[in-house]
């Protein structure tokens, strides 16, 4: 069971999503230092979801869905802001850092927290785990899951800050920036539309 959870989490990590594009974007534009800060922010938020899912926050979200809607809507608005900044810089066609008023670390936290559905993912992963009989193993599992997240996004930071990746990015700046802005925009609109449907239903 322990190994199975780690494998599921690994494949969940490698699927490209807003976290991946945020960290890789910082690596390409600001370098490895900023990307690592963003990756630590993502990892911290992920660890919060892991711990809260174990504590039963998924049950609270079921009872009070407006809390999930409020949190995810806030995150979606931030993703729209990021999308706008990236799109604006892409139109200028210049290779420069994304100027936002939020640090890379905080950007990582907010981007990951924008999707509270992660808690249901972890809740389903832990559903078959016996918390009462395996407390020590559970603590180790939490630690390893967090470590796995940190290692993965740190590797993404290092990879996308390499000179050959930066050259590829410089040669395709507009295309990559437009794609990143589009992905952030689509993900944000998906969250907001899902929240709107939840309210109207």
């Amino acid at each position: 069971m322990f190994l199975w959870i780690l494998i599921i989490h690994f494949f969940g990590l490698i699927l490209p999503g807003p976290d991946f594009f945020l960290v890789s974007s910082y690596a390409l534009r600001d370098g490895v230092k900023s990307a690592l800060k963003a990756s630590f922010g993502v990892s911290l938020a992920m660890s919060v979801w892991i711990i809260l899912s174990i504590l039963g926050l998924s049950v609270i979200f079921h009872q009070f869905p407006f809390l999930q809607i409020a949190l995810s809507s806030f995150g979606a608005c931030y993703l729209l802001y990021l999308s706008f900044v990236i799109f604006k810089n892409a139109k200028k066609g210049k290779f420069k850092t994304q100027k936002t008023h939020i640090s890379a670390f905080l950007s990582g936290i907010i981007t990951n927290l924008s999707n509270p559905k992660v808690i249901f993912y972890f809740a389903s992963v832990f559903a078959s785990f016996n918390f009462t009989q395996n407390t020590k193993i559970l603590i180790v599992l939490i630690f390893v899951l967090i470590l796995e997240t940190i290692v993965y996004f740190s590797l993404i930071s290092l990879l996308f800050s390499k000179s050959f990746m930066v050259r590829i990015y410089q040669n395709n700046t507009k295309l990559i920036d437009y794609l990143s802005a589009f992905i952030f925009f689509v993900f944000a609109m998906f969250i907001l539309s899902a929240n709107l449907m939840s309210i109207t239903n």
Side-chain angles (χ1 to χ4, degrees), residues 63 89 93:
Q63 294 294 324
N89 286 343

Side-chain angles (χ1 to χ4, degrees), residues 65-66 68-83 113-117 183-201:
F66 69 90
Q68 177 187 350
I69 292 172
L71 183 59
S72 61
S73 295
F74 170 75
C77 289
Y78 177 68
L79 290 178
L80 286 176
Y81 165 71
L82 277 182
S83 176
L113 290 180
S114 69
N115 187 15
K117 291 181 177 64
I183 289 170
F184 280 126
F185 177 80
V186 169
F187 187 73
M189 294 306 296
F190 174 78
I191 294 173
L192 292 174
S193 61
N195 288 345
L196 183 61
M197 290 179 63
S198 298
I199 294 172
T200 55
N201 289 341

Side-chain angles (χ1 to χ4, degrees), residues 18-19 22-23 26 34-49 71-72 74-76 78-79 82 102-116 118 153:
D19 295 336
L22 180 78
V23 172
Y26 270 111
S34 292
L36 284 173
K37 289 179 181 178
S39 67
F40 289 145
V42 169
S43 300
L44 177 61
M46 187 81 75
S47 66
V48 170
W49 288 130
L71 183 59
S72 61
F74 170 75
Y78 177 68
L79 290 178
L82 277 182
I102 301 177
S103 68
F105 178 73
L106 191 55
S107 291
I109 293 175
I110 295 175
T111 300
N112 186 265
L113 290 180
S114 69
N115 187 15
V118 172
F153 283 109

Side-chain angles (χ1 to χ4, degrees), residues 94-165:
K94 295 180 180 179
F95 181 76
K96 63 178 184 177
T97 58
Q98 304 288 0
K99 293 185 178 180
T100 67
H101 300 291
I102 301 177
S103 68
F105 178 73
L106 191 55
S107 291
I109 293 175
I110 295 175
T111 300
N112 186 265
L113 290 180
S114 69
N115 187 15
K117 291 181 177 64
V118 172
I119 201 167
F120 296 105
Y121 158 73
F122 282 117
S124 63
V125 169
F126 289 123
S128 59
F129 200 92
N130 191 326
F131 296 134
T132 57
Q133 296 181 7
N134 301 292
T135 305
K136 291 182 180 179
I137 296 178
L138 179 62
I139 293 173
V140 173
L141 179 60
I142 293 172
F143 175 77
V144 174
L145 285 173
I146 294 171
L147 182 62
E148 186 179 12
T149 303
I150 293 173
V151 169
Y152 171 75
F153 283 109
S154 295
L155 289 175
I156 293 298
S157 301
L158 293 171
L159 174 63
F160 280 85
S161 62
K162 294 296 182 182
S163 57
F164 75 93
M165 291 297 293

